Amino acid sequence: MQAKITKVKAIFALSSFYLLAFSHAFLSRRIGINYGQLGSDLPSPFQSIEYLKSMKAGMVKLYDANPETLKLLSGTDLHVSIMVKNEQLSSIASSEIMAENWVRENVLAYYPNTKIRFILVGNEIFTYNDQKMWLDLVPAMSLIEKSVAAHNIHNIKVGTPLAMDVMDSTFPPSSGKFSSRIPEKVMVSLLEFLNSTRSFFFIDAYTYYPWSLDPSNLDLDYALLKGGNLTYKDPVSGLIYTNLLDQMLDSIIFAMRKLGFPNIKLAIAETGWPNAGDIEQSGANVYNAATYNRNLIKKLTVDPPLGTPAKPGIVIPTFLFSLYDENQKFGPGTERHWGLLNPNGTPIYEVDLTGAISEQDYTNLPQPLNNKPYKGKIWCVVANSANIMDLGPALGMTCGQGNGICDELGPGKGCYEPVSVVNHASYAFSSYWAKFRDNGASCYFNGLAVQTTVDPSHGSCQYPSVSF
């Protein structure tokens, strides 16, 4: 009998080993992609899924639980992440019935033919100053997880993606500390949930942002994961870093350790590099985007997995941002330029998600022209593609802000003539942007405006500008 028990244990251990090895191989070798749909010119979900399959993506992350998309993903080999929207979070947290209904409608209706693997509750909620939502986060996650488990589903993990603003300190990584804005009981509650359910700490990690804030002192190659001879030694831990992403990830690992949670796994919910942006947004170009994503894929598809200096050998599930450029997103130009594909399915730049293609097998990329900070003046004017029918309302709304924005457009003033909606809107856009850029205003105006380095001033009419 003892020999039989020993044999059973050996078989179980061996099968567990192979299951773990298979899981690690899948996660480490198959990169995911974020599929956002905030664009006016994007292909249908059917065509988008065909593109994902042809790219050999291993996972896809949705920002909702769209029924059409989930049906179309049925029968594919794509592992799927779905999302509980922020506005749904509090109602689910308050009701077990609401949580059960959400799971029935958005999981059970498609699973297992659609390979749902992650349910992400909310999106970057600590970025918003909504303390009720913060307090509702873990209760909502717990009720969703409870409902999933009650249906005997054990291969779906529940998590929540957070931005790097969840951190107060990230440098050096050993100083990693969660934001003091977030009550410690909220953070501990989240970590307790992730630890007890063996889920992942999902983080949106973009090396572009810290680099772009200090491009003169932070090495671009270090942010692009190029490796090479440049390294950084953490003065406390003694760990050696060869790229900025590892530093960012390890700061979270150290922050979790300080709260007593050393074993929670990491997942990257979003990462990437913008392929274009506004004139003053240094480093946003195709060359850098391709370089970052290729280096990232190479790093993540190595077998055995590399992990990070603080946690070597771990698998880090990762989703690139994003499938397409999304022209309906607000904010600076980079917000609309993270895509891998054009709307017709052609690549904005070549990238092999499997990591099988070596650098020399890629075709040449256009050399970057904006890696250095821009020095000079920039104006904000009407875009050539703008619909003239939209300019009147936009002009009225902009001038309606007051603050002297459109004073020069009054009869007899310096910029009254020539009297045209295009000229007046250009002046208003440039005036508004120059006045409020430091408060977060962008030269976008619902797609009606574009930046220019050519001074549109004429005669006695001087257009306000922003100097860099």
Side-chain angles (χ1 to χ4, degrees), residues 164 204-216 218-220 222-225 244-245 248 270-286 288-289 292-293 321 332-338 370-373 437:
M164 284 301 297
D204 296 346
Y206 293 96
T207 63
Y208 170 75
Y209 289 121
W211 174 82
S212 66
L213 291 174
D214 193 14
S216 299
L218 190 53
D219 188 84
L220 179 58
Y222 196 71
L224 292 173
L225 318 186
L244 183 56
L245 180 64
M248 294 166 69
E270 292 180 9
T271 191
W273 195 282
N275 60 62
D278 293 332
I279 293 170
E280 78 277 13
Q281 291 186 294
S282 305
N285 56 62
V286 166
N288 291 345
Y292 177 85
N293 282 330
F321 189 84
T334 50
E335 286 295 306
R336 295 174 287 282
H337 293 285
W338 295 84
N370 66 340
N371 281 348
K372 300 293 184 182
R437 182 184 179 275

Side-chain angles (χ1 to χ4, degrees), residues 422-433:
V422 172
N423 282 317
H424 281 202
S426 284
Y427 178 89
F429 292 165
S430 208
S431 179
Y432 181 90
W433 181 58

Side-chain angles (χ1 to χ4, degrees), residues 209-290:
Y209 289 121
W211 174 82
S212 66
L213 291 174
D214 193 14
S216 299
N217 294 312
L218 190 53
D219 188 84
L220 179 58
D221 286 351
Y222 196 71
L224 292 173
L225 318 186
K226 278 192 171 182
N229 296 324
L230 183 64
T231 60
Y232 169 76
K233 183 177 181 179
D234 188 303
V236 176
S237 69
L239 295 172
I240 305 295
Y241 291 88
T242 60
N243 66 80
L244 183 56
L245 180 64
D246 279 346
Q247 283 192 205
M248 294 166 69
L249 296 178
D250 273 1
S251 71
I252 296 168
I253 289 172
F254 279 105
M256 290 193 291
R257 286 178 181 174
K258 288 169 186 174
L259 291 180
F261 298 93
N263 298 318
I264 296 175
K265 298 167 288 187
L266 286 179
I268 301 176
E270 292 180 9
T271 191
W273 195 282
N275 60 62
D278 293 332
I279 293 170
E280 78 277 13
Q281 291 186 294
S282 305
N285 56 62
V286 166
Y287 183 93
N288 291 345

